Amino acid sequence: MSQFLVEPLAVAKIVLHACKYPHTAVNGVLLAEKPSPDSSNSSSKPIVICNTVPLFHSNLNLAPMLEAALMQIEATYKNYAIVGYYQANELLNDASPEGVGAHIYQKIAENCPLPRSLYILVDNKAIDRKCSTIPLIYYQRKEAGQSQKLERLPNSAVAIDDEEDCLETLANLLVRQAYRSLVDFDNHLDDIGLDWTNSRLAEQIRN
Amino acid sequence: WALYEQVFISALDCGRLEAADACLVQLSRQFPNSQRIRRYEAMRLEAEDNLDAATEIYKKMYETDKLDSLSRKRLVAVLKARGRSVEAIKELTSYLKDFCTDFEAWLELSELYLNECDYKKAAFCMEELILSNPHHHLYHQRYAEIKYTEGTTESMELAKSYFAQAVRLNPNNMRALFGLLLAAGNCASSTNKSSTSASRRESARLAQWAAAQVAERYRAAGSKAAKFTTSNSSNSSDAASSDVATLALQLSLCCSPTAAAGDASSPSQGQQQPASNPPML
């Protein structure tokens, strides 16, 4: 039984964000629906990651804009919780989740209202136009001990909802260069008229 | 021929090595024995990930001409591409000792230090940039962000001042406005012994002013979006912008409950003066 189920919209936004800025690192957060207070707190059901918010493509290390972004996300997505973090590293060969991203993820994990949180690292080498595989690597923090290091999750722990359809959609989006219309929080700060929730892109992806 | 150079570099960026090769052949024919073309050959090697050969060429070029700044910078780029940030920093620092007015290099060094989480040195690099160009709002804003990330009380005060300066230089810089709102909010609710109640009230006023500015910008953006979109999406963008506006005002009011309660007249004063300049610090 997998611990997480990632919806195609989330996968698409992560990969499009990485493709929009191939020369720099990008990051963002993962969203899942908040559990209703009367539902039983069953940690056996997979957590559904239904959406992501692309955050920055420059200065990922700096705190103030991250704080502003997280506050806006919490205020806008009232029925959703931030359950994870994703990052695509700058260098092609760099597949390390450590660094500032790990610190941000630890904070998110500490404040996550759901029983588990996820760190998704984009596998830069695996991104290609044919989209034969989902180019993502999954990590989670070890609960035991003070070290709080990240441990890699096997691919079986994270399922992609309707994987074949997702790959086909992703291939279409890359061919159409749909990443040009993706707006991350950095773009929003440069021009606040741009919609960082990417509602139009989400409609396109769903259809 | 400048066009050939630009197409060559763009082709390398897009991974179109055949196009890059075609340009390079033409350029080498036109300019044989040119140092510039040699550098392009090394860049071509970098593009195919043959970093050792590229490094050799750059080192030879530097040995023949000590004033060749561009090949030294490419060497730093190769070190960065290999993930050797510490060596890249060392190389770039020695480069900056010889060419201390190269502002791009200072900016790059600042980013390298940030990747290593060395905030003090990253701030030092930004200080050099501010000294060179004191009217550039982005340098002030970036310096303030680094100081904010450091997190100590003194650095938060500094962050507040530099965000305010960035806003004064460019009132439309949203990052500086958000930064000012957060930094002033943190200063206003600081429990440090060195902060007086007067300075906390001042910070609270500043935070409220920044919040009002942010709110105004979002309302303007929301109404602008409404003019160009259909009625459905205009409702959502209006709602989104008013959400942010109320959030900004709530943030400023809750940042210092004691200051806000004790000085009830100041919020109304702040709103009656929609000045474009922040209050003097």
Side-chain angles (χ1 to χ4, degrees):
Chain A
M1 183 74 172
S2 49
Q3 297 180 32
F4 296 94
L5 181 66
V6 187
E7 287 193 2
L9 174 63
V11 175
K13 278 168 98 169
I14 294 174
V15 177
L16 287 178
H17 194 202
C19 291
K20 189 175 180 186
Y21 298 104
H23 57 286
T24 172
V26 297
N27 68 357
V29 292
L30 312 174
L31 300 176
E33 274 192 37
K34 271 187 192 160
S36 52
D38 51 346
S39 71
S40 59
N41 192 12
S42 61
S43 55
S44 57
K45 275 168 85 173
I47 293 175
V48 180
I49 293 172
C50 51
N51 204 348
T52 68
V53 178
L55 286 177
F56 304 109
H57 56 266
S58 63
N59 303 321
L60 307 187
N61 308 304
L62 296 175
M65 298 306 117
L66 180 63
E67 285 183 24
L70 292 174
M71 284 182 203
Q72 280 208 34
I73 292 171
E74 286 191 336
T76 311
Y77 289 105
K78 295 190 176 77
N79 298 327
Y80 294 85
I82 298 176
V83 298
Y85 173 82
Y86 76 82
Q87 182 167 300
N89 287 329
E90 189 175 345
L91 299 176
L92 182 66
N93 302 321
D94 185 1
S96 154
E98 303 300 333
V100 172
H103 289 302
I104 300 175
Y105 166 70
Q106 297 287 0
K107 283 289 165 199
I108 288 176
E110 275 164 31
N111 295 312
C112 176
L114 278 84
R116 296 183 293 282
S117 56
L118 185 62
Y119 181 129
I120 295 184
L121 185 67
V122 177
D123 186 359
N124 296 325
K125 285 183 169 173
I127 298 182
D128 77 70
R129 285 223 173 157
K130 293 173 208 160
C131 293
S132 42
T133 53
I134 301 276
L136 304 175
I137 308 173
Y138 311 105
Y139 290 88
Q140 198 178 37
R141 68 168 179 170
K142 284 187 196 167
E143 293 300 339
Q146 297 286 319
S147 63
Q148 295 217 330
K149 282 212 156 210
L150 295 175
E151 65 173 350
R152 184 160 171 179
L153 286 176
N155 283 356
S156 54
V158 181
I160 308 291
D161 192 16
D162 203 356
E163 192 166 333
E164 276 186 34
D165 202 41
C166 176
L167 285 167
E168 210 184 297
T169 314
L170 202 52
N172 277 334
L173 289 168
L174 288 179
V175 163
R176 283 185 350 214
Q177 298 187 342
Y179 44 79
R180 286 188 184 181
S181 55
L182 182 82
V183 173
D184 64 4
F185 208 77
D186 253 341
N187 300 135
H188 174 75
L189 288 171
D190 291 330
D191 175 6
I192 48 175
L194 295 173
D195 171 26
W196 55 264
T197 61
N198 291 294
S199 38
R200 274 198 195 163
L201 185 65
E203 288 287 327
Q204 269 186 324
I205 293 172
R206 287 195 180 109
N207 298 342
Chain B
W1 292 107
L3 197 57
Y4 267 105
E5 285 180 334
Q6 286 174 12
V7 172
F8 170 73
I9 294 177
S10 313
L12 286 184
D13 264 339
C14 296
R16 300 268 188 92
L17 297 179
E18 338 73 45
D21 282 335
C23 294
L24 193 54
V25 160
Q26 295 295 327
L27 283 165
S28 340
R29 273 189 205 149
Q30 182 66 16
F31 305 103
N33 300 325
S34 157
Q35 288 289 72
R36 203 153 148 156
I37 302 301
R38 234 179 129 207
R39 198 169 51 243
Y40 290 148
E41 282 164 16
M43 280 166 76
R44 168 75 178 74
L45 289 167
E46 271 187 72
E48 5 168 79
D49 213 18
N50 191 347
L51 298 177
D52 290 326
T55 314
E56 278 310 308
I57 297 184
Y58 290 133
K59 280 188 176 158
K60 276 189 193 145
M61 286 175 73
Y62 173 57
E63 270 153 37
T64 44
D65 181 8
K66 296 284 179 194
L67 289 175
D68 189 356
S69 59
L70 292 169
S71 56
R72 275 180 90 176
K73 287 202 277 190
R74 287 305 322 161
L75 205 52
V76 174
V78 166
L79 285 168
K80 195 176 167 191
R82 287 189 197 232
R84 295 193 204 156
S85 342
V86 177
E87 286 177 45
I89 288 175
K90 204 168 140 201
E91 189 62 43
L92 194 49
T93 326
S94 78
Y95 166 81
L96 279 165
K97 282 186 185 140
D98 296 332
F99 298 92
C100 54
T101 53
D102 188 343
F103 308 126
E104 282 180 358
W106 281 113
L107 208 50
E108 184 62 38
L109 186 59
S110 171
E111 283 184 25
L112 284 172
Y113 276 130
L114 281 176
N115 286 339
E116 298 293 310
C117 294
D118 195 341
Y119 296 111
K120 287 202 160 41
K121 295 206 177 117
F124 173 78
C125 298
M126 292 315 300
E127 283 165 11
E128 289 287 332
L129 286 167
I130 292 176
L131 275 174
S132 69
N133 199 344
H135 297 294
H136 194 122
H137 65 102
L138 289 177
Y139 294 156
H140 290 273
Q141 170 221 303
R142 180 79 66 87
Y143 184 70
E145 286 182 337
I146 297 173
K147 285 293 165 193
Y148 185 105
T149 313
E150 267 184 56
T152 64
T153 323
E154 299 81 25
S155 66
M156 193 61 70
E157 290 282 339
L158 265 178
K160 182 183 72 173
S161 311
Y162 277 90
F163 275 128
Q165 180 67 7
V167 169
R168 193 182 277 165
L169 290 168
N170 180 2
N172 291 321
N173 184 340
M174 285 310 296
R175 287 183 177 84
L177 283 172
F178 270 117
L180 184 55
L181 171 56
L182 292 169
N186 284 337
C187 290
S189 33
S190 143
T191 48
N192 199 297
K193 289 174 204 163
S194 57
S195 70
T196 62
S197 64
S199 71
R200 282 201 292 273
R201 267 201 302 277
E202 187 63 49
S203 299
R205 267 184 61 211
L206 202 52
Q208 279 161 10
W209 179 86
Q213 292 292 308
V214 168
E216 194 187 303
R217 302 250 178 326
Y218 271 96
R219 278 189 209 115
S223 59
K224 201 165 125 188
K227 280 183 204 161
F228 295 109
T229 54
T230 62
S231 55
N232 288 340
S233 46
S234 73
N235 285 341
S236 62
S237 65
D238 263 344
S241 60
S242 64
D243 266 345
V244 181
T246 36
L247 172 68
L249 290 167
Q250 276 170 358
L251 268 174
S252 67
L253 287 173
C254 71
C255 72
S256 174
T258 49
D263 213 344
S265 56
S266 65
S268 55
Q269 274 178 4
Q271 279 160 15
Q272 278 165 16
Q273 295 171 3
S276 56
N277 291 324
M280 296 295 286
L281 288 170

